[in-house]
Amino acid sequence: MPCPVVLRTTIRPANHGYRPAADRARRAVPLPAHARKTMTRTRSSIARPMRARRTGIAYTFAAHPTAGLQWKRGTMRLMRIGLASVDTTVGAFAANVDRAIRLAGEMAADDVTVGLFPEQLIGGYPVEDLIQWRGFVERQWPELERFAAAAAAWPTLFVVGVSVAHQALRYNCAAAVAGGRILALVPKEKLPTYNIFYEGRTFSRGAPYQMADVRGVPFGDLLLRCDFGTVALEVCEDLWSADGPIRRRAYSGAELVCNISASPFRLGIVQTRRELIATRAADHGCAIAYANLVGANDGLIFDGGGLVNQNGRQMLDAPRFREGFASATIDLDRTARLRIENSTWRADQEAFAAEQPPVATIEVPPDVLTTAETRRRLVYPTPANRSFFLPPDVVPPSPRVAFFEDILDALALGVGDYFEKNPQFKVIGVALSGGRDSLLTLLVAHRYASRVCPDDPGSLLRAFTMPSRHTSDATLAAAKQICADLGVPLAIVPIDEAYERELVATEAMLGPEQPVTELTKQNIQARIRGERMWNWSNSSAGLFLQTGNMSEKAVGYTTIGGDLMGALGVLANVPKTVVMALLDYLLEQTGHDGIRQVLARPAGPELAPNQIGEEELMPFPILDACFYLFAGEKMLPEDVAAALIPMFPEFPPARIEADVANFTRRFLGSIYKWVQSPISLHIGNLDLDRERALQLPVVQSQAWAAPHPDLNARD
């Protein structure tokens, strides 16, 4: 049910200047009893009481920011923060809330004071254009009320992600819930509309000092004062922007900033998050609690986890790639004490207070939320190694191991959630060519199956190999061996007879004067295999995994209707050099002889005699470097060549220049191919998904990328 806190506003022209001197005297104003149920403006400085000023909104004064707080053992103000990672499904409102209620109960049993759930918990993320359906938004509200009712008896403040409609606009909000009531709705201000994000297309932005109500609940730029301290809510991108709302909210008294996120996995993102949150917490003199979505929806993978950082000190780094919650205790008085020190933050806060109005604050009355009893049981957080000066005893994994494990965990999660959240699928199928890409795809699928069916992962998987006259005995043996290693059923279905029939049909269509090209003969084989996999999928309710890598896809070294086909591209955004490095790593970890046999042979599609991929294209390290610099760094071909010549000194400069020209021609000429590929999993900021990454025109001239004498003559 909505919170009884009443939003009282008087709309008048804002005047943020000072009142006459007589009204500017410093004075501490005790909080009247009735004001605890009234929206208030509070001055955030711990060092001095607030002063009256015009803000354009009628407000009452609040007490000193630390007044009325319940303390424990001297000046310690202990509280426990819980971070929940929930694997949501877009549109599964009731199921998403059921998961949240279960985790909320577990957090309450752990004496959590404030529990965070991910962005868009109820609706799922990303909602894309579903947000345009009025019913998609309105039907989230009863589920938010159901969550509030289920959590009514727990002495915990919960922060939940939800979509709301206000004045015909849609907002991505953080909802504060406690005591069975919805206390406040704080809309997201910074809407990412770049790379994989499109929120600005449909959501509206919250605004500084925005004040309204939605269904009787305060809505806008708000803080909440609870018996343990002052809390600010924000949503994902608000934290990533240097001009986000955290600054004015911290200066207005927020001690704990709760950021609920749906931040997709990208390589390197984990360390970036840690550094960002540590910097924001230190710069703004506050504690930050950050909870992230886990799971995958479509091609986006969310690695979950979360962080608690207090004034630059990391207090919690929650486990990733799994649903659940983690918690940590902090002493919120440490934040208050650090603010009192003679710091730049204090000086900046004083300047802000002299020029800007404070953010409105909701007083949460004790009959709605009282946390003293559970906080009394908390223990001051001390290091596990019993030293405040020595580093932790735990040895972190090597960067190499962490890199590979993150990719494998992300891809396995992406495959698993796509499989589980699409009820039409009952089994997963992989076409094994005996090469590196299909091998890694099978290993990723097996990684997922081993987690959900540890006793018999092969029961979820089916492998197929379709040899032709060009398939070597070693390739066929490697396919058999890896399936034996993994316990995956393998069906061997030769394609030579079908190839001969299709070749005759193609010759009849061309007529006697036009021969079938060698490239067409190769593509016929690939298309027969693709068609067979689709036929298997249709009859068995099977998820047909597409196995191609990003590097070969980028230059069109793939077949429309053949190996480019599938329901989900597993490696479509993984460079070839990374594919090969992952297989080296998995061989080290597992010792599977099937991996060793595949790696013992040069990479090639075996659609023609003695076919080797690097001979037909270029060395894969050069190919991937070209892709990174041309597609990622947006360099012209001559700049790419200039960068690569010293990078690969073992090759003559003329060879590098020829490879760069070959790459550019193939890349720009293959866009029509890769825009027809299936939905694919994202693991980096650079990939070939036309809807979420490189939005390149299919029809274009390559003249713009040709060498230009004026550019070549520049200094």
Side-chain angles (χ1 to χ4, degrees), residues 548-571:
N549 68 79
M550 179 167 66
S551 307
E552 294 173 341
K553 176 181 174 182
V555 293
Y557 199 61
T558 184
T559 302
I560 296 176
D563 55 310
L564 193 62
M565 295 294 100
L568 177 68
V570 180
L571 308 181

Side-chain angles (χ1 to χ4, degrees), residues 7-11 39 56-58 211-212:
L7 179 68
R8 297 179 180 175
T9 61
T10 301
I11 306 301
M39 183 78 63
I57 297 176
M211 302 284 285

Side-chain angles (χ1 to χ4, degrees), residues 45 66 140 173 183 193 213 271 310 377 408 425 451 520 544 628 711:
S45 175
T66 59
Q140 293 185 43
C173 291
L183 305 179
T193 308
D213 73 89
Q271 187 60 31
Q310 185 177 23
R377 295 193 289 265
L408 293 169
F425 298 131
R451 292 176 178 173
T520 302
F544 168 22
Y628 178 84
L711 291 177

Side-chain angles (χ1 to χ4, degrees), residues 503-575:
L503 183 59
V504 170
T506 305
E507 290 171 341
M509 295 175 70
L510 291 170
E513 297 182 358
Q514 189 170 2
V516 180
T517 66
E518 292 302 314
L519 181 60
T520 302
K521 293 177 182 179
Q522 295 181 35
N523 289 338
I524 288 173
Q525 300 169 62
R527 290 185 178 117
I528 290 171
R529 291 168 176 144
E531 180 184 13
R532 287 185 175 181
M533 287 302 297
W534 277 128
N535 292 339
W536 166 82
S537 173
N538 290 160
S539 297
S540 65
L543 171 58
F544 168 22
L545 297 181
Q546 193 263 341
T547 63
N549 68 79
M550 179 167 66
S551 307
E552 294 173 341
K553 176 181 174 182
V555 293
Y557 199 61
T558 184
T559 302
I560 296 176
D563 55 310
L564 193 62
M565 295 294 100
L568 177 68
V570 180
L571 308 181
N573 297 311
V574 182

Side-chain angles (χ1 to χ4, degrees), residues 264-273 301 303 320-321 399 402-408 410-411 550 573-575 578 582 682-686:
F265 169 80
R266 286 94 79 201
L267 290 171
I269 193 64
V270 177
Q271 187 60 31
T272 301
R273 287 183 193 137
I301 302 165
D303 52 324
R320 298 161 54 238
F321 294 111
F403 175 82
F404 291 138
E405 288 294 324
D406 267 6
I407 295 177
L408 293 169
L411 294 176
M550 179 167 66
N573 297 311
V574 182
V578 177
L582 282 166
H682 295 261
I683 65 166
N685 289 319
L686 175 62

